[in-house]
Amino acid sequence: ERSASRRRALSATRNAHNTAKFDLRLARASVALDAGVYTLMLFSTSGLMFAVITACGAVGMGFNPAVHAVALTLYNRRGGQDSGRLFGSLSVVQALRCVEIRFLISSRSCMTSRLTRTLVPSSSVIGPFVYGMTFTKTVRTFPNTIFIVACGALVLAFTLISFVRLP
């Protein structure tokens, strides 16, 4: 009976570790996909193409749940006992993480333009300043610069999440 309960405990530990590995891989894939979407947005030539690319970006929305699951796993493995505090602090960070930017993108022919809006990953102080200044300084000359900056931020995020290792 002891060996059966020991095998179940080992199996549960392996399953939890495999689940955390999957969540971490999902978070990395989501960030990489988002970076790819912003890169493709840079080259969109029509409103329809932009909308289709944006819709494809919805697949990358697995980042937040995956990161929350990984954070909870790491928190519990380090002896954390109040997961409510963890999720409360993650919610505050999540609320401050995105800034909405509305801007006008002119087509190559300059005959048509479209008002577009996007959520750009950022922080509460530095991000809005960087994205705002980038947009205001480049909107007349190259309005797609904001996508390059967003892609760069996501590449940085991917690089940083690549350093996360599960114990």
Side-chain angles (χ1 to χ4, degrees):
E1 192 172 306
R2 279 187 175 182
S3 65
S5 64
R6 188 177 187 105
R7 277 190 303 234
R8 279 184 289 210
L10 283 173
S11 177
T13 302
R14 276 191 222 129
N15 286 342
H17 185 71
N18 288 338
T19 302
K21 284 173 90 173
F22 173 78
D23 288 333
L24 186 56
R25 287 181 184 144
L26 179 62
R28 289 175 181 157
S30 295
V31 170
L33 180 71
D34 278 344
V37 165
Y38 278 107
T39 302
L40 290 175
M41 283 181 187
L42 179 65
F43 299 109
S44 67
T45 56
S46 68
L48 178 63
M49 186 177 179
F50 185 84
V52 169
I53 293 168
T54 304
C56 291
V59 177
M61 292 296 133
F63 178 77
N64 283 336
V67 166
H68 285 197
V70 170
L72 183 61
T73 300
L74 292 174
Y75 182 74
N76 287 337
R77 286 184 185 173
R78 294 183 185 247
Q81 303 207 358
D82 188 7
S83 60
R85 280 185 168 176
L86 171 69
F87 285 119
S89 60
L90 286 175
S91 295
V92 169
V93 170
Q94 184 178 356
L96 298 176
R97 191 185 70 190
C98 290
V99 64
E100 185 174 321
I101 297 178
R102 295 174 190 265
F103 52 93
L104 192 67
I105 296 179
S106 299
S107 71
R108 296 187 200 281
S109 66
C110 295
M111 301 282 270
T112 61
S113 58
R114 64 186 185 273
L115 182 65
T116 210
R117 142 190 125 159
T118 187
L119 286 176
V120 177
S122 70
S123 65
S124 60
V125 178
I126 297 170
F129 176 75
V130 169
Y131 287 110
M133 291 305 293
T134 300
F135 180 70
T136 57
K137 298 293 183 185
T138 63
V139 69
R140 285 195 175 128
T141 57
F142 187 61
N144 289 344
T145 304
I146 198 71
F147 296 121
I148 295 170
V149 174
C151 186
L154 288 165
V155 168
L156 176 65
F158 180 79
T159 302
L160 292 176
I161 203 168
S162 295
F163 288 113
V164 174
R165 298 286 179 249
L166 296 173

